[in-house]
Amino acid sequence: MRITIFGSGYVGLVTGACFAEVGNDVLCVDVDPRKVALLQQGEIPIHEPGLDELVRRNGASGRLRFTTEVAEGVAHGLFQFIAVGTPPDEDGSADLQHVRAVARSIGQHLEEYRVVVNKSTVPVGTADVVRETIAAALAERGRDVPFSVVSNPEFLKEGAAIQDFMRPDRIIVGCDDHRATGPLRNLYGPFNRNHDRLIEMDVRSAELTKYAANAMLATKISFMNEMANLAERLGADIEKVRVGIGADPRIGYHFIYPGAGYGGSCFPKDVKALEYTARSVNYEAALLQAVETVNERQKNVLFAKIQRHFKGELRGRTFALWGLAFKPGTDDMREAPSRNLLEALWREGCTVRAYDPAAMEETRRLYGDRSDLRLCTQPLDVLPGADALIIVTEWSLFRSPDFAAIRQQLQQPLIFDGRNLYDPEYLREQGFVYYAIGRGEQS
């Protein structure tokens, strides 16, 4: 099938590469000439395991191409996927200017029937906006060309996006026009062979499904962080509590790990956008507000522990930091807990030596060159003479480190663990002072 994808960011690039991988003819349209030139050369501007190989292979075969020409894109594909960014406005609402721009461009060049697919995460009612925008552009041209507008939200986890697309848990298709459902079923057929994962519903329900899914996952994280803070004050171990409640199949083990708070491009933005949507229909979403409040507070928990341990005397100290990305498997630092911690330590006059397997360039882009930040090329390079080791991201290579080397190189055997990677009893036996999340004030 012939597919056009507007937007070559994270969602658009993964979607295009995966559709091309199963034999489709995909054309990605992007307004950034520099990005298009890089992609045409097989260079990938984002970090996602396996994506570079997928893009290069399908680019070499001719199944995946990139252009800045909107008219070429509209003429190319029966399916016109909108996969552009919807960043948050100051009031928390999703900014739809890029979605509207793509819809207007489609209307300005539409000559025959097309299925317009909203892949971007958008508020309920956006399909109506897209439909009206395309219709208005057609009217300006004096044309009456049929088209359908469909909601097909993505459920891609950063760090596992290729697997999520190729073997999806579910494929949500929101459609009020039956002309589009048959072609969409055929399009997703290669990803739907083991059993039927495609769930059809009306457009507004599909749009809400995406927000509801992310809000539910964010809620689980904030709930566990709330319980962790309570466990700490009650002398309980949240890791044992986690295992106990996770054994209940109604709860399960997914997304009940306490830590330093959630970040990234999805959960913070989508919780805020859903709150805004609730306010727009005169509903106070008290639970969503609490989820966000707990998360913002949780991002400061590690710094509070550090400040308390050193009795507020932080100026001139050096800290070793493992993990900068908001989660393993990505270089994304949007809303990352590491940023709260870095900036808090700098305000107190501290120096940070940091290592992350993927997010070093992104850190340089965000903070530039500064005397109180040194980015190291190996995990152990951050340690010599540091006052403590802080762990913010649970990359697998941090899970079983050389504790003897850590103890030898630090000024004192002191670890602040924002992801509960280690066994407190074992570290005590190794002579460490160990602070974790929800495992006692000093675990």
Side-chain angles (χ1 to χ4, degrees):
M1 293 186 177
R2 294 164 70 88
I3 302 166
T4 297
I5 298 176
F6 288 93
S8 296
Y10 186 83
V11 173
L13 196 54
V14 171
T15 300
C18 289
F19 274 137
E21 179 71 5
V22 297
N24 295 295
D25 182 359
V26 180
L27 180 64
C28 293
V29 182
D30 201 285
V31 296
D32 185 346
R34 181 177 172 275
K35 182 192 290 186
V36 168
L38 288 172
L39 289 166
Q40 288 171 338
Q41 296 166 21
E43 296 183 34
I44 312 304
I46 58 176
H47 178 86
E48 178 60 39
L51 182 59
D52 51 355
E53 180 185 348
L54 211 60
V55 170
R56 291 187 188 112
R57 179 167 65 243
N58 287 283
S61 73
R63 292 190 301 268
L64 179 63
R65 294 177 292 120
F66 302 92
T67 184
T68 58
E69 297 299 323
V70 172
E72 182 185 359
V74 177
H76 174 78
L78 167 63
F79 300 98
Q80 304 275 307
F81 278 81
I82 301 177
V84 293
T86 55
D89 273 343
E90 291 182 5
D91 59 4
S93 63
D95 184 349
L96 297 179
Q97 63 171 316
H98 302 304
V99 173
R100 287 192 180 94
V102 172
R104 190 176 305 111
S105 296
I106 292 172
Q108 288 168 344
H109 296 92
L110 197 62
E111 295 293 343
E112 58 184 314
Y113 176 73
R114 292 290 183 257
V115 180
V116 180
V117 185
N118 275 335
K119 200 71 175 171
S120 301
T121 300
V122 293
V124 176
T126 299
D128 297 335
V129 172
V130 169
R131 188 179 297 108
E132 291 162 5
T133 303
I134 295 174
L138 285 169
E140 289 174 5
R141 296 168 54 207
R143 298 296 305 276
D144 183 15
V145 182
F147 65 93
S148 302
V149 178
V150 174
S151 174
N152 174 220
E154 54 85 12
F155 296 94
L156 305 176
K157 298 187 295 292
E158 291 191 45
I162 304 299
Q163 181 178 344
D164 286 345
F165 197 101
M166 301 300 284
R167 297 184 177 180
D169 297 319
R170 76 286 209 196
I171 302 163
I172 301 295
V173 172
C175 185
D176 299 326
D177 184 346
H178 293 299
R179 286 179 298 181
T181 54
L184 277 164
R185 276 199 168 273
N186 291 334
L187 177 63
Y188 277 107
F191 313 98
N192 199 34
R193 299 187 66 182
N194 182 267
H195 64 273
D196 191 2
R197 298 178 175 88
L198 195 145
I199 303 170
E200 294 180 35
M201 59 184 70
D202 62 276
V203 171
R204 285 181 169 247
S205 295
E207 291 170 333
L208 182 56
T209 295
K210 169 63 177 181
Y211 277 118
N214 279 354
M216 172 60 82
L217 296 174
T219 299
K220 292 183 76 172
I221 294 170
S222 280
F223 175 81
M224 283 307 293
N225 284 331
E226 191 87 300
M227 291 300 101
N229 296 334
L230 183 58
E232 198 162 276
R233 288 157 175 78
L234 294 174
D237 185 340
I238 193 61
E239 289 299 316
K240 294 175 181 176
V241 174
R242 178 182 64 79
V243 173
I245 66 173
D248 186 333
R250 296 171 300 175
I251 298 172
Y253 291 105
H254 293 296
F255 280 82
I256 60 169
Y257 289 87
Y262 61 75
S265 63
C266 294
F267 289 1
K269 173 176 72 74
D270 293 352
V271 170
K272 288 184 177 73
L274 195 52
E275 279 186 68
Y276 178 86
T277 298
R279 290 196 301 272
S280 71
V281 292
N282 298 315
Y283 181 76
E284 182 183 357
L287 179 57
L288 295 178
Q289 294 169 16
V291 167
E292 187 179 1
T293 299
V294 169
N295 189 59
E296 289 305 308
R297 184 175 64 196
Q298 197 68 18
K299 289 181 179 181
N300 297 313
V301 164
L302 270 180
F303 177 71
K305 289 176 181 288
I306 295 165
Q307 199 170 41
R308 196 155 49 242
H309 176 87
F310 289 103
K311 297 180 172 57
E313 298 175 0
L314 297 180
R315 183 163 299 278
R317 296 189 183 276
T318 297
F319 291 96
L321 181 65
W322 281 356
L324 294 161
F326 86 93
K327 61 178 261 187
T330 182
D331 62 351
D332 194 343
M333 289 182 65
R334 284 173 287 186
E335 304 268 0
S338 64
R339 297 178 65 174
N340 295 64
L341 180 60
L342 284 170
E343 291 163 18
L345 290 171
W346 290 333
R347 282 194 299 270
E348 294 296 318
C350 302
T351 298
V352 178
R353 292 199 295 262
Y355 172 80
D356 188 283
M360 307 287 265
E361 286 304 316
E362 179 65 5
T363 306
R364 288 190 185 94
R365 186 188 71 81
L366 289 169
Y367 294 114
D369 293 325
R370 47 188 301 160
S371 60
D372 50 10
L373 173 64
R374 180 186 164 199
L375 298 175
C376 300
T377 57
Q378 296 294 329
L380 294 182
D381 291 347
V382 305
L383 298 173
D387 289 279
L389 170 63
I390 311 168
I391 299 153
V392 186
T393 313
E394 66 274 30
W395 288 93
S396 58
L397 81 165
F398 301 153
R399 292 181 181 275
S400 185
D402 184 343
F403 287 111
I406 294 173
R407 187 176 61 246
Q408 182 179 14
Q409 294 190 61
L410 290 174
Q411 285 270 24
Q412 52 191 312
L414 175 60
I415 295 177
F416 296 90
D417 181 0
R419 298 297 173 184
N420 289 1
L421 295 187
Y422 309 130
D423 176 11
E425 185 175 345
Y426 176 76
L427 285 190
R428 277 200 302 271
E429 292 170 357
Q430 298 299 309
F432 282 91
V433 175
Y434 177 63
Y435 294 91
I437 305 294
R439 312 193 75 176
E441 176 52 32
Q442 180 192 319
S443 300

